[in-house]
């Protein structure tokens, strides 16, 4: 019978690994991380805005559900390994039902004969605390790491949470290990930055990396299966990001920079425990697959907590028409006219959105390359308006439409969609509780110092621009990297230069105006630019590009994952000295 070892003298370096960046990530990553090398804590991030909506629908079907069931199956294979190696496990897989998942883990431990001290964190679920309006499925505060820390200090081997910030999975264990107080802002901020690097799994080790073509897929930097990241944390909050030896991918200043820019939206990264100043982060290569992070400054957390609210938004349908060969624009006009006429004689959906993607090219030797796609997306509060009224109108064009008429799939009846919104809430109204392995419920108080208003960060000092010289029209991505993602209905786009010369050009060239010129879909939307000189990076926030968020699915790239790569593909005049 395996048992977790008793507490021993604490090491000066805390090794925290990650085994999941989302609900559905690589199933065997937990076992790989536990067996691939030494660890003290293994984390798993399973929650996202869309995941909360999915779990909310699960809970409607069965009140006993609402957690990430994949985690239980992983743990069945791995609890004994974790016990044998003395690795604590911290995860937000509890979702909407951390108590239920903790109970299932206890049952699993008894069944497999591995005694485990299981604790959980609760209090984030605010659904019953107020009237959130019609159609609300979930309402959850983003808690910090203090509840996790309390569970670990009480000797927990496995800690399950609901909706905490992704970085809390790292800052909580670090605070417990090093004994940080709530006002140790710099140390906490360093752990939050490390947690943000780890939270998306293989994105820190070369996954989704702009310059992936530079890695030889036949050497130790094999990108076919990137490893998962590890943070070696120190008592001052500094860290080294690395990975287990022999795993794929790479840990470089570039891969870490890319992840730091992912969905952080500016120089200040506010959280429930601390506000991390991303404009103070310093990165340095510390050896092969080792990147040191230090210099991070922290400030008090904001006066309010963020709560994520998901609700049923109505009903949605989509029809994709394939237009092939000649006269693509004319074919698109005819399809639109025919569909609009048909819809005008019925119950017209509340919102109708058309988009034409010119994926065709002239004289194509493959039919698919001769085709463009015309996409129709409709939304309405009532299912009838987007169901047969839309799908029937599309099918009726089969023999009466454009030449070569066909669809990518048979039209469906429509499906429900959800929306996400972020709402500030008073921390005093959130009952953050750590439920220890012996069942004791310990209230977790908000940090005593919270910032009602922080002064703006100091104006960044821009580098001297490059001297004038010859230029060549070329893709932006030849000289800069980018990574993009979603925050509710907004898109975040981080762009960075890899050397000082590139930064001297980028900082002056990629203004808000130039950004909108290169990405015409952002024209008319509010775009904010943040400058991060230490990272040689710019962070752009595009408000409203994604409507009400990923679940509404108004855009073909509903999470803005490809916006950064779209930006890199755009051509402009680039100094030849950079090419």
């Amino acid at each position: 019978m395996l048992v977790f070892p008793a507490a021993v003298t604490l090491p000066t370096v805390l090794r925290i690994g990650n085994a999941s960046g989302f609900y559905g990530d690589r199933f065997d990553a937990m076992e790989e991380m536990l067996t691939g090398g030494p660890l003290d804590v293994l984390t798993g991030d399973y929650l996202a805005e869309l995941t909360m909506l999915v779990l909310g629908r699960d809970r409607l079907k069965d009140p006993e559900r609402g957690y990430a069931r994949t985690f239980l199956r992983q743990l069945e294979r791995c609890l004994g390994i974790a016990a044998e190696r003395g690795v604590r496990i911290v995860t937000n897989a509890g979702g909407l039902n951390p108590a239920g998942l903790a109970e299932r883990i206890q049952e699993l431990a008894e069944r497999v004969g591995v005694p485990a001290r299981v604790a959980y964190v609760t209090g984030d679920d605010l659904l019953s605390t107020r009237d959130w309006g019609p159609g609300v499925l979930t309402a959850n505060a983003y808690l910090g790491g203090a509840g996790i820390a309390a569970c670990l200090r009480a000797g927990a081997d496995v800690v399950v949470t609901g909706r905490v910030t992704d970085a809390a999975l790292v800052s909580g264990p670090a605070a417990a290990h090093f004994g940080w107080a709530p006002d140790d802002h710099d140390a906490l901020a360093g752990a939050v930055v490390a947690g943000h690097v780890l939270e998306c799994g293989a994105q820190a080790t070369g996954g989704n990396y702009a310059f992936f073509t530079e890695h030889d897929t036949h050497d130790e930097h094999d990108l076919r299966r990137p490893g998962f990241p590890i943070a070696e944390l120190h008592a001052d909050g500094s860290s080294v990001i690395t990975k287990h030896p022999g795993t794929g991918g790479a840990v470089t200043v570039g891969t870490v920079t890319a992840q730091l820019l992912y969905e952080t939206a500016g120089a200040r990264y506010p959280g429930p425990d601390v506000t991390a100043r991303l404009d103070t982060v310093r990165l340095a290569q510390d050896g092969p697959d080792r990147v040191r992070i230090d210099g991070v400054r922290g400030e008090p957390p904001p006066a309010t907590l963020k709560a994520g609210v998901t609700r049923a938004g109505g009903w949605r349908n989509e029809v994709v028409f394939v237009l092939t060969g000649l006269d693509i624009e004319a074919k698109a006009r005819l399809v639109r006219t025919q569909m609009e006429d048909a819809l005008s004689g019925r119950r017209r959906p509340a919102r109708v959105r058309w988009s034409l993607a010119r994926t065709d090219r002239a004289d194509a030797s493959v039919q698919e390359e001769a085709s463009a796609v015309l996409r129709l997306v409709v939304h309405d509060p009532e299912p009838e308006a987007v169901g047969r009224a839309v799908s029937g109108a599309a099918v009726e064009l089969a023999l009466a439409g454009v030449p070569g008429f066909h669809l990518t799939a048979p039209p469906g009846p429509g499906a429900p969609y959800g929306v996400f919104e972020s709402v500030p809430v008073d921390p005093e109204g959130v009952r953050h509780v750590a439920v220890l392995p012996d069942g004791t419920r310990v209230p977790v108080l908000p940090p005593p110092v919270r910032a009602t208003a922080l002064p703006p960060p100091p104006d960044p000092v821009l580098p001297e621009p490059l001297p004038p010289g010859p230029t060549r029209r070329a893709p932006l991505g030849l000289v800069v990297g980018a990574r993009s993602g979603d925050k509710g209905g907004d898109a975040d786009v981080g762009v960075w230069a890899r050397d000082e010369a590139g930064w001297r050009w980028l900082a002056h060239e990629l203004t808000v105006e130039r950004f909108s010129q290169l990405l015409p879909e952002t024209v008319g939307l509010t775009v904010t630019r943040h400058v991060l000189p230490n990272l040689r990076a710019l962070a752009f926030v595009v408000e409203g590009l994604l409507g009400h968020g990923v679940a509404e699915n108004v855009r073909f790239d509903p999470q803005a994952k490809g916006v950064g790569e779209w930006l890199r593909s755009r051509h402009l005049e680039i100094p030849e000295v950079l090419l």
Side-chain angles (χ1 to χ4, degrees):
M1 178 183 297
L2 295 172
V3 295
F4 282 85
V8 295
T9 303
L10 297 177
T12 58
V13 175
L14 180 68
R15 291 176 60 88
I16 302 180
N18 169 281
S20 175
F22 66 99
Y23 192 4
D25 209 343
R26 190 188 306 164
F27 184 84
D28 55 5
M30 183 182 291
E31 185 173 2
E32 289 177 7
M33 289 300 289
L34 288 171
T35 59
L39 285 179
D40 301 303
V41 178
L42 182 61
T43 67
D45 181 9
Y46 291 78
L47 300 184
E49 294 168 2
L50 182 61
T51 314
M52 300 303 284
L53 183 70
V54 171
L55 295 177
R57 289 174 175 158
D58 281 352
R59 185 170 62 176
L60 282 179
K61 298 173 186 175
D62 182 353
E64 298 298 315
R65 287 163 59 175
Y67 54 79
R69 288 172 287 171
T70 302
F71 173 76
L72 267 181
R73 302 205 315 273
Q74 292 173 300
L75 199 62
E76 187 166 10
R77 292 169 49 175
C78 295
L79 186 62
I81 303 172
E84 185 178 60
R85 294 174 178 248
V87 180
R88 271 50 176 168
I89 295 175
V90 179
T91 179
N92 61 15
L96 301 176
N97 189 8
L101 179 56
E103 185 176 348
R104 301 289 87 74
I105 293 170
Q106 199 67 68
E107 294 169 354
L108 182 152
E110 294 170 3
R111 188 173 73 249
V112 300
V114 181
R117 294 161 291 190
V118 182
Y120 65 94
V121 178
T122 187
D124 60 296
D125 195 337
L126 306 180
L127 190 60
S128 62
T129 63
R130 69 165 81 169
D131 181 7
W132 295 97
V136 170
L137 290 173
T138 67
N140 296 79
Y142 285 70
L143 303 180
I148 296 170
C151 292
L152 291 170
R153 287 179 183 131
D157 304 311
V158 181
V159 181
V160 174
T161 78
R163 179 71 278 188
V164 296
T165 65
D166 300 340
L169 301 177
V170 170
S171 63
H177 183 83
F178 295 113
W180 295 334
D183 61 353
D184 286 327
H185 293 142
D186 290 348
L188 286 167
V192 164
V193 168
H196 181 72
V197 174
L198 261 59
E199 70 184 52
C200 289
Q203 278 198 165
T205 60
N208 300 344
Y209 185 52
F211 299 107
F212 74 98
T213 57
E214 296 180 4
H215 294 291
D216 183 349
T217 57
H218 298 289
D219 66 8
E220 69 275 11
H221 290 161
D222 188 345
L223 289 179
R224 291 171 295 183
R225 191 179 173 87
F228 278 68
I230 298 165
E232 298 175 353
L233 280 144
H234 299 265
D236 63 355
S238 64
S239 63
V240 171
I241 306 301
T242 184
K243 62 186 184 70
H244 282 322
T247 57
V251 180
T252 67
V253 168
T255 65
V256 173
T257 297
Q259 178 56 27
L260 275 176
L261 295 174
Y262 182 65
E263 298 178 351
T264 45
R268 277 197 172 99
Y269 191 46
D273 295 322
V274 69
T275 297
R277 286 282 300 274
L278 299 184
D279 55 349
T280 64
V281 175
R282 295 194 302 252
L283 303 180
Q285 200 73 40
D286 196 47
D289 290 322
R290 294 178 62 83
V291 172
R292 178 169 295 280
I293 303 176
D294 61 17
V296 185
R297 300 297 304 275
E299 298 171 336
T304 58
L305 288 180
K306 171 184 171 181
V309 178
T310 65
R311 69 179 76 239
W315 293 78
R316 169 188 190 282
N317 206 348
E318 177 177 332
V319 183
V320 180
F321 302 85
V322 180
L323 312 177
T324 304
L326 304 177
D327 305 318
I328 295 295
E329 299 286 345
K331 288 171 179 173
R333 284 195 299 271
L334 179 56
V335 170
R336 288 188 59 165
T337 300
Q338 290 178 310
M339 286 296 295
E340 293 285 355
D341 285 349
L343 294 177
S344 66
R346 314 183 191 201
R347 162 74 162 81
R348 181 181 174 82
R351 283 185 294 157
V352 177
R353 178 186 173 104
W354 290 93
S355 61
L356 174 62
R358 294 299 304 267
T359 53
D360 58 302
R361 63 183 181 86
D363 194 25
S365 58
V366 177
Q367 181 179 333
E368 189 171 359
E369 295 175 359
S371 301
V373 291
L374 177 65
R375 185 169 178 253
L376 167 64
V377 179
V378 293
H379 292 82
D380 197 88
E382 302 299 328
E384 294 80 9
V386 302
R388 180 66 182 173
V390 174
S391 59
V395 169
E396 288 166 6
L397 297 181
L399 303 180
V402 297
F405 178 96
H406 65 286
L407 308 173
T408 57
Y417 73 90
V419 298
F420 173 88
E421 62 178 315
S422 175
V423 178
V425 296
D426 185 350
E428 299 298 332
V430 177
R431 300 293 175 251
H432 187 175
V433 175
V435 183
L436 307 184
D438 64 0
T440 303
R441 300 177 68 88
V442 178
V444 180
L445 300 178
V449 179
R450 306 185 72 85
T452 54
L454 288 170
D459 290 335
V461 178
L462 295 181
E464 287 292 321
L466 285 180
T471 64
R472 177 164 27 112
R473 191 165 180 81
L476 177 62
L478 292 185
V479 294
V480 305
R483 178 165 287 166
S484 56
D486 63 319
K487 279 288 187 184
D490 301 340
D492 290 354
V493 186
V495 186
W496 79 94
R498 296 196 289 174
D499 56 39
E500 191 60 27
W503 173 234
R504 290 174 63 186
W505 174 75
L506 178 68
H508 297 277
E509 175 65 24
L510 197 57
T511 61
V512 168
E513 293 73 22
R514 179 54 59 89
F515 180 90
S516 293
Q517 289 171 4
L518 294 173
L519 305 185
E521 288 183 40
T522 68
V523 173
L525 301 175
T526 299
V527 179
T528 306
R529 182 180 105 145
H530 303 274
V531 182
L532 303 172
N534 283 6
L535 300 178
R536 296 195 290 251
L538 304 172
F540 294 87
V541 179
V542 185
E543 297 180 24
L545 182 67
L546 309 176
H548 288 102
V550 56
E552 189 180 28
N553 201 4
V554 297
R555 200 170 177 275
F556 88 104
D557 176 18
Q559 290 182 284
K561 299 291 189 183
V563 174
E565 286 302 293
W566 176 29
L567 178 66
R568 293 182 69 239
S569 74
R570 298 290 282 155
H571 290 225
L572 70 169
E573 292 294 325
I574 298 176
E576 287 188 354
V577 68
L578 301 179
L579 296 171

